[in-house]
Amino acid sequence: MAKHTYDMGLIGNCAYLALIHKDTNVEWLCWPRFDSSFVFGPIMDRQKGGEYSIKPDAEEFTSHQYYMENTNILCTEITAQEGSYRVTDFAPRFRQHQRYYKPLMLVRKVEPLQGSPRIKATCRPVGQYGDLELKRRRSSNHIAFLGLDEEVRLTTNASLSYILEDQYFVLNETLYFVLTYGAPLEANLESTAEAFMSQTRRYWRNWVKNTSISNFFQEQVIRSALALKIHQYEDTGAIIASPTTSLPEHPGSGRNWDYRFCWMRDTYYILNAFNNIGHFEEMERYFHFIANITAKDTQRYQPLYSISGQSKLTEIELDLEGYLGNNRPVRIGNDAYTHIQNDVYGQILVALLPLYIDRRFNDEERIESQKLIYKTLKKIQQTMEEPDAGLWEFRDFAQYHCYTYLFHWAGAAAARSAARHMGDAQLGQLANDLMNQAAAKIEECFDPQRGVYTQAIGKHHLDASTLQLIMMHYLDPSSERAKTHLAEMEKELKTPEGLFYRYKHADDFGVPQSTFLICAFWYIEALACVGRVDDAIKEFESILKYTNHLGLLSEDVDSRDGSQWGNFPQAYSHVGLLNAAYRISKRLDRPSFL
């Protein structure tokens, strides 16, 4: 079986994201928001998904795709018999008038490299997930596409006739294509596109220069940091799990989910990642998103919310053929918003802790969070005896999950630390009592025969999420219990390639067939924690072969052939890489000259 990879690159500017295939086609682009309908979505349906490509007049051609160093600017070089050319794609982002300029604008620069390549420029956006065909209106230097809430406009110095008539033409000069949603480009095309590229390149390279990382696999860490950055919807601070929907966890599995939302379960890991690489601005914006969510939610905190904090994310199925033409259903929305997932309360409390121990935050933010700590701690108290769907969102059964109690414990510990800083003895006592209750529940998950913590109270199954018992120092990493727990997890859930299953028992969709990539990074972190640093480095190096040609990671990997599956790119996987690299580099504590 041939190895399956996602042969696409990601561009974005914290207002939108797009996936560009190695053949230059825009496989996925949602406007005006991350969670809007696609205007280009051929990855989900070749007929209804529209097309935006700059393809050669040749059946056979080669492609070389790469990023400009330390940027989110993507270059695709196409070579065919008649010649070669380069398509440079980027989403403008830079400082302007003391704020970030991040328009809904995709800029494509097309330049000949060698010979006389013949190309065809196709631009056919759609609306309403492919059900709406847009009307075209030709003007002197642009084509307007009408039918959406706002105009989509293609401004170009290429022949409009060739584009409208789907004709091939010789590329003998540099062409620019600027596609906009809403506000169009009214300035000079060529000079503006070049200026935007220069400023965007400078912005990303300065952002990377301000990233605090060691020399441990810097190239891979930088690419993961750049990918994670553009998963943040800057308008609200939300960070989505992935820009895509319904890319299957495994072909034909039916595990096809919409991941264009912000999961509370990711909070601790994402904040850790941004803190580890020294980027406070993203961390602060994400904190404000969380604070807004929790301040208005008077009942339960949901497992996930929309990028604007909306709570109702009704799951529906679309009439689309699905990925590769046969992976249905294609879903938008996510029914997991209705699930009970009680680890979210601890996630929130751990997220709030930096307000009290990190002096970069100011007193006003600290005061505002005090009520939130009380409110969230009470929710832990209220749900201590309640089963839930767990981290992996089981749809058909509830359990008393070890992972949930771990975050009850960690959240209460964070509240206790905050109470010390506030001088609030009553809060500290409540937090301490809840820590002890949660620890007792965690211990009910311990299997003394095997020396391992199981997925849930009274269950035999193991779960990769319990690796966090070591990483979060519930278990002393130097203790025999931590080392034995890790060894038993390796024995049951690790593949020979170093990948990790979330669990291996049947759920509501059967037995999982692919491994979950972040679990492999958790394993690497756990190895480093218990002092097996050489093993951690070896496994880290091994996992890097599961990126695509650009260093981008998917959600899942099939251990049998190394294929990428699941939504792509997966922010969670890149967070895992960042945190694992940081954990190893801390343990190495080695001067850069050695």
Side-chain angles (χ1 to χ4, degrees), residues 402 406 442 445-447 450-455 461-471 474-476 479-493 500 523 526 530 532:
C402 185
L406 174 62
I442 293 171
C445 299
F446 185 66
D447 178 348
R450 292 184 289 170
V452 69
Y453 288 82
T454 63
Q455 182 181 69
H461 307 303
L462 300 190
D463 189 313
S465 66
T466 63
L467 290 167
Q468 295 289 337
L469 293 166
I470 301 169
M471 295 150 61
Y474 173 82
L475 295 176
D476 178 352
S479 68
E480 281 306 311
R481 179 167 284 203
K483 293 171 183 176
T484 303
H485 176 68
L486 178 56
E488 289 296 317
M489 297 289 285
E490 285 177 299
K491 195 183 301 181
E492 182 159 323
L493 298 180
F500 244 77
Y523 169 56
V530 301
R532 295 168 56 186

Side-chain angles (χ1 to χ4, degrees), residues 544-571:
L544 294 180
K545 65 176 175 283
Y546 300 113
T547 67
N548 78 344
H549 61 290
L550 294 166
L552 298 175
L553 296 164
S554 62
E555 177 189 17
D556 300 272
V557 174
D558 187 331
S559 65
R560 296 171 300 177
D561 58 14
S563 289
Q564 293 185 317
W565 295 107
N567 283 300
F568 173 86
Q570 181 78 353

Side-chain angles (χ1 to χ4, degrees), residues 217-395:
F217 285 93
Q218 270 199 351
E219 182 181 349
Q220 291 79 6
V221 168
I222 288 170
R223 180 49 51 202
S224 284
L226 284 165
L228 177 60
K229 165 67 176 173
I230 56 177
H231 278 76
Q232 182 166 52
Y233 187 65
E234 193 168 70
D235 185 59
T236 63
I239 297 176
I240 59 169
S242 179
T244 54
T245 179
S246 303
L247 295 178
E249 292 183 15
H250 195 269
S253 65
R255 299 174 190 262
N256 312 339
W257 313 112
D258 191 348
Y259 270 17
R260 298 172 297 162
F261 305 111
C262 184
W263 263 263
M264 295 295 100
R265 71 177 181 206
D266 300 351
T267 300
Y268 168 69
Y269 310 105
I270 288 171
L271 289 172
N272 244 8
F274 277 124
N275 194 49
N276 290 343
I277 62 175
H279 275 288
F280 183 78
E281 182 181 13
E282 294 79 7
M283 183 175 154
E284 188 172 35
R285 294 194 71 84
Y286 189 48
F287 162 73
H288 286 309
F289 174 77
I290 294 165
N292 283 327
I293 288 289
T294 50
K296 72 179 183 180
D297 228 327
T298 56
Q299 302 300 317
R300 291 185 177 277
Y301 299 164
Q302 293 180 186
L304 67 159
Y305 294 86
S306 81
I307 57 174
S308 57
Q310 294 299 312
S311 55
K312 192 172 183 180
L313 309 174
T314 305
E315 187 175 295
I316 62 174
E317 297 180 5
L318 301 177
D319 183 24
L320 296 171
E321 63 184 16
Y323 183 61
L324 300 179
N326 57 4
N327 279 283
R328 294 185 177 185
V330 175
R331 296 181 173 98
I332 58 171
N334 197 309
D335 193 54
Y337 83 93
T338 64
H339 294 181
I340 295 173
Q341 217 171 308
N342 291 331
D343 65 281
V344 297
Y345 307 119
Q347 291 268 3
I348 298 302
L349 287 168
V350 173
L352 291 173
L353 182 59
L355 289 175
Y356 297 91
I357 63 175
D358 191 326
R359 302 313 301 175
R360 291 173 293 180
F361 287 101
N362 56 49
D363 289 335
E364 289 83 0
E365 291 169 312
R366 219 167 276 133
I367 292 167
E368 285 297 314
S369 70
Q370 191 165 346
K371 293 177 184 175
L372 186 53
I373 287 179
Y374 264 107
K375 173 182 169 183
T376 308
L377 198 59
K378 286 286 187 183
K379 290 183 183 297
I380 288 180
Q381 186 178 40
Q382 293 161 9
T383 58
M384 189 67 73
E385 302 295 334
E386 181 181 52
D388 69 356
L391 170 69
W392 308 123
E393 298 167 355
F394 297 124
R395 294 195 167 203

